[in-house]
Amino acid sequence: MRALVLAGVTGLLSMTLTTPALASGVPEQWSTGPFTAQVAVRAGDVNGDGKDDVVSFTTDLSGCTVFLSTGSGFQPGQDWGACRSGANDSPYYAYFIGDADNDGRADAITVRPNAISTPRVRGIFVARSITDGGGVARFGTPTQWLDNTIAGDQGSRAVDLEGDGDTDVIGLFSGGVPPLAARSDGTATLPLIAWGPQDLRGETQTLAADATGDGKADYLLIDSAGTRVVPGTANRWFDTPPAQWSTTPFHGTRKTLTADIDADGKADLVAVNDTEVQVMRSTGTGYSAPELWYPGSFSGTKDTLTADVDGDGDADLVAVNDNDVWVLRSQ
């Protein structure tokens, strides 16, 4: 944001202009070499230095490989141990990187359904980011934080539902089941609780993020002809019907993401298309008109993520490929 002062016949007129949402304009290669990620790729600040790192969930001993950010590149991958629980034998497994214990370091979170394997272990498992007795940073042994069904048939999300600084899990269900929340208390998850009306989802995608800027995750319903938002309140997502935040179709041909790209504390929408990247910025009560963020193709063959990899407070775009990782920084 910048201020512009104009001289008028009645005095000075002050106007606040919004800085255009733009990437740096130059894709940067942040790592080279094979990138193994048979299960999932996620991002988060696992060592607590203020910069988001990239984490690869692999099938090798249910392990995680971590690529620590230096602020201008990623270090070579480091083995951070067996971070996930069990084999991926169901499409309803979910993997996240989030600060479950509110210690400033992101942990590895596995959401398991009623698996077909024996024993049929379900629920949430957390591998905390720790520094072991030898001074080595790694993920600790995954421990079960919840023994209940939270893996939704419409997916799961990991967000801060209550604004208390730790990562919670929300399961999205069909068939008349409301969104169910598993809230972290720092050492385990509280009993499941309904967090919103049943069968309420977006036509093309359903996301959760703090779009209003109050610290609590809101419910983002991406429709074919616009976007609706249910603000998170003390009464969860029950207070009001979804508000129409935009009537502009906005969903990427490759991926639709939500993250704070302008460091104002409110999550924006990012549409990753075949030939360009666009954003719609949150005003706290609606979304502004779409803006061109990058005039070219930018997506990864393995995944495309939003993460603050340079630690400047706004989210960047990260493209993870088989043999390298590229970054488009937000400016």
Side-chain angles (χ1 to χ4, degrees):
M1 306 285 283
R2 61 187 178 92
L4 175 66
V5 179
L6 302 176
V9 295
T10 59
L12 295 179
L13 174 63
S14 179
M15 301 173 61
T16 300
L17 302 183
T18 301
T19 304
L22 296 171
S24 64
V26 181
E28 303 170 20
Q29 190 174 33
W30 274 41
S31 77
T32 59
F35 190 99
T36 302
Q38 303 99 332
V39 180
V41 181
R42 299 290 183 263
D45 182 8
V46 299
N47 61 353
D49 67 351
K51 300 180 288 291
D52 285 341
D53 314 295
V54 172
V55 180
S56 165
F57 289 80
T58 71
T59 56
D60 301 332
L61 299 175
S62 297
C64 273
T65 301
V66 171
F67 297 78
L68 294 173
S69 172
T70 66
S72 58
F74 292 117
Q75 297 179 18
Q78 304 173 12
D79 179 9
W80 271 45
C83 63
R84 67 187 188 94
S85 173
N88 185 5
D89 56 4
S90 165
Y92 303 128
Y93 271 75
Y95 302 93
F96 303 107
I97 295 295
D99 187 3
D101 55 5
N102 200 12
D103 66 349
R105 296 167 58 156
D107 313 297
I109 303 169
T110 302
V111 179
R112 294 188 61 168
N114 289 318
I116 61 175
S117 61
T118 301
R120 295 186 177 182
V121 182
R122 62 181 180 175
I124 296 173
F125 291 78
V126 175
R128 291 181 172 178
S129 174
I130 64 172
T131 301
D132 64 20
V136 177
R138 63 178 179 85
F139 291 123
T141 302
T143 60
Q144 189 173 25
W145 280 36
L146 175 74
D147 180 9
N148 207 335
T149 300
I150 186 65
D153 60 352
Q154 299 296 311
S156 302
R157 307 287 183 265
V159 289
D160 184 358
L161 292 169
E162 300 173 296
D164 58 358
D166 51 36
T167 300
D168 312 299
V169 174
I170 189 91
L172 307 180
F173 298 86
S174 59
V177 179
L180 297 180
R183 295 162 296 158
S184 169
D185 69 359
T187 59
T189 56
L190 301 172
L192 297 184
I193 183 174
W195 208 258
Q198 63 189 36
D199 294 329
L200 180 61
R201 291 184 300 278
E203 294 172 354
T204 67
Q205 195 165 352
T206 304
L207 304 172
D210 180 17
T212 58
D214 65 352
K216 302 182 185 68
D218 310 303
Y219 203 32
L220 315 183
L221 311 175
I222 314 299
D223 298 326
S224 57
T227 301
R228 297 170 292 157
V229 173
V230 182
T233 66
N235 197 28
R236 307 183 290 279
W237 295 334
F238 286 108
D239 276 343
T240 59
Q244 194 74 47
W245 274 36
S246 172
T247 56
T248 301
F250 194 81
H251 37 88
T253 55
R254 291 182 179 265
K255 199 165 186 180
T256 306
L257 302 163
T258 181
D260 182 7
I261 56 95
D262 52 9
D264 66 351
K266 299 181 287 289
D268 312 295
L269 289 179
V270 180
V272 181
N273 298 307
D274 293 326
T275 59
E276 65 182 11
V277 180
Q278 293 194 348
V279 301
M280 286 203 310
R281 289 195 273 184
S282 170
T283 66
T285 57
Y287 288 114
S288 63
E291 303 171 56
L292 183 65
W293 197 77
Y294 178 66
S297 176
F298 189 85
S299 60
T301 56
K302 284 189 176 293
D303 211 342
T304 308
L305 313 170
T306 50
D308 182 13
V309 294
D310 56 5
D312 65 353
D314 51 34
D316 312 297
L317 200 60
V318 182
V320 181
N321 300 303
D322 292 324
N323 292 303
D324 54 21
V325 180
W326 291 77
V327 170
L328 265 175
R329 298 201 218 190
S330 184
Q331 66 179 19

